[in-house]
Amino acid sequence: MTRIPLIAGNWKMYLTRTEAVALASAVAAATQGLTDREVMIAPPFTALAAVKEAVASSPVKVAAQNVGWEKEGAFTGEVSPPMLLDAGIEMVIIGHSERRHIFGEDNSMINRRLRAALQFALMPILCIGETLAEREAGNTFNVLEEQLTQGLAQITAEQMSNVVVAYEPVWAIGTGKTATDAQAQEVHAFIRELLARSYEKTLADCIRILYGGSVKPENVDSLMARPDIDGVLVGGASLNATTFERIIYFR
Ligand code: 13P
């Protein structure tokens, strides 16, 4: 069982193409020759192709922040899996809490996106996470179980080996309020147990589970020291080359 750490930056709705290429080039320069961990960045759609070109000779992987579930068609505002492949993209974030809570995406929609991504060999990062109200009401595990099982409906074991899960508690995103490493570890262990129940323990032991929510240079080391935290999904701190580099080289 080896899980290669994955350090992922979600740039959300930030950066023009010029700014994105400059940041991507800095990340590429910082990761030359890196083999013991993977680095991914997710620029907005408009910058995907340019960023992919900028990191082409580095180990940096480029992800989209969402994906449509059909190959093509009358789906205004959506971008299809083949379109992402055409731009050289290899991964995609699906079910981010901002998609769920601001844009009303539900588990069945998220599942359709996930299945489409896998069908076209894009590696999906499925995001799940509870709100503060859900945590305070003692519903964290129920909510996560529902998001995970519905999000992964019809996903075979073979497909599952290409899925990354990200636990992002909604109350920790962009708030500066990180889950403690103990809180995150507890949830990650729970998620792995659910995966072992739905699939097999050997498979669950190979699946990477990332933590996201106010990850910074100051807390990345203690998060990454936990046994079930296999990487981080970073928002704000991934928009600066120096802070992101420090997170990539967690100790
Ligand atoms: P912040 O790191 O800005 O809290 O964002 C986390 C996130 O949503 C990553 O997907």
Side-chain angles (χ1 to χ4, degrees):
M1 173 213 64
T2 40
R3 299 191 294 265
I4 301 172
L6 173 60
I7 308 301
N10 174 9
W11 293 358
K12 307 195 179 183
M13 198 173 72
Y14 291 99
L15 308 182
T16 62
R17 270 189 313 161
T18 309
E19 292 164 344
V21 165
L23 179 56
S25 305
V27 174
T31 53
Q32 285 305 337
L34 198 63
T35 52
D36 65 341
R37 61 202 73 195
E38 286 181 359
V39 176
M40 183 210 93
I41 49 180
F45 286 116
T46 48
L48 282 175
V51 162
K52 177 62 197 177
E53 214 178 291
V55 303
S57 58
S58 82
V60 176
K61 292 184 163 48
V62 182
Q65 298 174 18
N66 207 350
V67 64
W69 58 75
E70 295 287 347
K71 207 171 99 201
E72 60 182 15
F75 298 99
T76 303
E78 294 287 307
V79 176
S80 76
M83 291 168 183
L84 295 182
L85 294 177
D86 181 50
I89 302 314
E90 44 238 314
M91 298 179 71
V92 60
I93 298 171
I94 295 174
H96 190 277
S97 82
E98 286 144 20
R99 297 306 315 170
R100 294 175 186 269
H101 297 288
I102 304 173
F103 300 101
E105 294 196 14
D106 61 15
N107 288 321
S108 86
M109 200 184 284
I110 287 160
N111 174 251
R112 288 172 86 168
R113 296 190 190 281
L114 191 91
R115 283 188 285 137
L118 288 166
Q119 198 188 325
F120 287 94
L122 286 162
M123 180 182 280
I125 300 184
L126 171 65
C127 303
I128 60 174
E130 82 287 3
T131 63
L132 185 59
E134 288 162 345
R135 175 164 280 262
E136 286 175 345
N139 282 330
T140 298
F141 289 163
N142 295 335
V143 169
L144 295 174
E145 181 162 0
E146 189 173 305
Q147 290 177 344
L148 195 73
T149 51
Q150 293 185 16
L152 293 175
Q154 299 176 54
I155 302 302
T156 65
E158 196 188 331
Q159 290 176 314
M160 194 59 210
S161 60
N162 291 312
V163 175
V164 175
V165 177
Y167 168 56
E168 297 205 303
V170 179
W171 47 272
I173 296 177
T175 57
K177 210 168 135 183
T178 329
T180 64
D181 49 278
Q183 273 172 327
Q185 166 59 30
E186 181 192 28
V187 170
H188 283 225
F190 171 75
I191 293 169
R192 202 175 305 284
E193 206 182 288
L194 284 179
L195 292 171
R197 241 190 285 150
S198 306
Y199 298 92
E200 270 180 22
K201 188 177 180 308
T202 46
L203 176 57
D205 283 342
C206 295
I207 295 171
R208 289 181 290 186
I209 306 174
L210 315 184
Y211 168 78
S214 298
V215 173
K216 303 183 267 286
E218 298 76 46
N219 57 28
V220 68
D221 300 337
S222 55
L223 287 162
M224 290 304 296
R226 292 287 181 163
D228 288 294
I229 301 181
D230 308 313
V232 284
L233 183 52
V234 188
S238 72
L239 293 169
N240 176 285
T242 312
T243 51
F244 192 53
E245 181 175 349
R246 172 62 183 85
I247 292 169
I248 291 169
Y249 290 96
F250 66 86
R251 298 163 196 152

